[in-house]
Amino acid sequence: MKLTSKGLATKTRILEHAAELIYAHGVHGTNNELLRQAAGVSGSQLGHYFPDKQSLVLAVIDWQAQHVIDFHTDGRFGGLDSIESLRGWARFYIGYERAYLEGCTLGSLASEIVKTDLDVHDRLASGFDRWEEVFRAGLDRMRERGALRPDADPVRLTHLLMAAFQGGLLLAQIARDATPLRDALTAAIDHVETFTR
């Protein structure tokens, strides 16, 4: 369905508010009335773009995943294809207070959605896979130009970086202190660095 600029703005506004409500109240605690009021839309508008909860949740997953990917690929982290750019990525999150107060937007969404009986697991896995591809591609470029040894496995190293990020953020949220995130990311990137030459 091709949307007008006004329609696209309305749909985006609904998605933004839906993501916030799901984060705050969970999937089951987010209903049409709450979303209508938050987004300032009518019931018919909401039903036009998202006829049921599953279509809304699928769209929120896609929107949130794209938001995270766009953030990681806009150049601020230099392509995530060097140890220094990985350390710059880590420094950003370690120093960004809201990151450890709020956690990862996509990770928080995932932890909420996997508890539901909605058929959205594949879409969620796809969103994370697209995010991981940003790191895999950077590590592949490092290996191709000889900055990483041939025995470095970009897939395994990506899993390590993502696990350190997600786990470190969760522990930092619990502690209300960035130290667990700093320790996890530093250790993960230090491990990646052992494959440099």
Side-chain angles (χ1 to χ4, degrees):
M1 166 174 65
K2 187 167 175 61
L3 298 176
T4 64
S5 57
K6 185 177 178 182
L8 183 59
T10 300
K11 185 175 182 181
T12 300
R13 190 168 70 251
I14 293 169
L15 287 172
E16 288 172 346
H17 287 285
E20 289 171 6
L21 287 169
I22 289 171
Y23 177 82
H25 304 290
V27 172
H28 292 300
T30 300
N31 58 43
N32 284 357
E33 183 60 26
L34 276 175
L35 184 51
R36 265 192 344 90
Q37 290 177 3
V41 297
S42 66
S44 61
Q45 283 176 302
L46 185 56
H48 173 70
Y49 295 111
F50 306 106
D52 55 35
K53 184 164 269 190
Q54 181 157 310
S55 65
L56 175 67
V57 170
L58 287 170
V60 167
I61 292 169
D62 290 343
W63 181 84
Q64 198 70 272
Q66 192 60 53
H67 181 74
V68 169
I69 291 162
D70 289 346
F71 182 79
H72 280 75
T73 57
D74 70 358
R76 77 185 70 208
F77 303 126
L80 295 169
D81 58 0
S82 69
I83 295 299
E84 186 46 46
S85 65
L86 289 171
R87 293 206 190 279
W89 164 71
R91 279 193 303 272
F92 172 83
Y93 280 102
I94 293 163
Y96 182 52
E97 185 178 1
R98 285 182 58 192
Y100 66 83
L101 291 176
E102 298 175 1
C104 171
T105 53
L106 189 58
S108 297
L109 179 66
S111 67
E112 176 55 42
I113 290 173
V114 296
K115 302 173 197 170
T116 71
D117 57 1
L118 297 173
D119 185 18
V120 297
H121 183 271
D122 289 348
R123 189 72 63 89
L124 197 54
S126 173
F128 269 91
D129 192 56
R130 288 169 52 218
W131 186 10
E132 289 180 355
E133 179 56 32
V134 175
F135 289 93
R136 282 195 298 267
L139 293 166
D140 277 334
R141 287 192 297 274
M142 289 176 71
R143 197 168 64 167
E144 286 164 10
R145 68 172 185 263
L148 283 183
R149 298 195 316 260
D151 61 320
D153 183 342
V155 173
R156 292 184 70 186
L157 294 176
T158 292
H159 289 158
L160 173 64
L161 291 168
M162 288 290 286
F165 180 68
Q166 294 294 331
L169 262 183
L170 177 60
L171 293 175
Q173 265 190 294
I174 293 166
R176 295 284 181 180
D177 176 9
T179 302
L181 177 62
R182 183 196 65 211
D183 292 346
L185 290 181
T186 299
I189 296 168
D190 284 351
H191 181 71
V192 174
E193 192 169 22
T194 66
F195 289 94
T196 59
R197 57 182 189 179

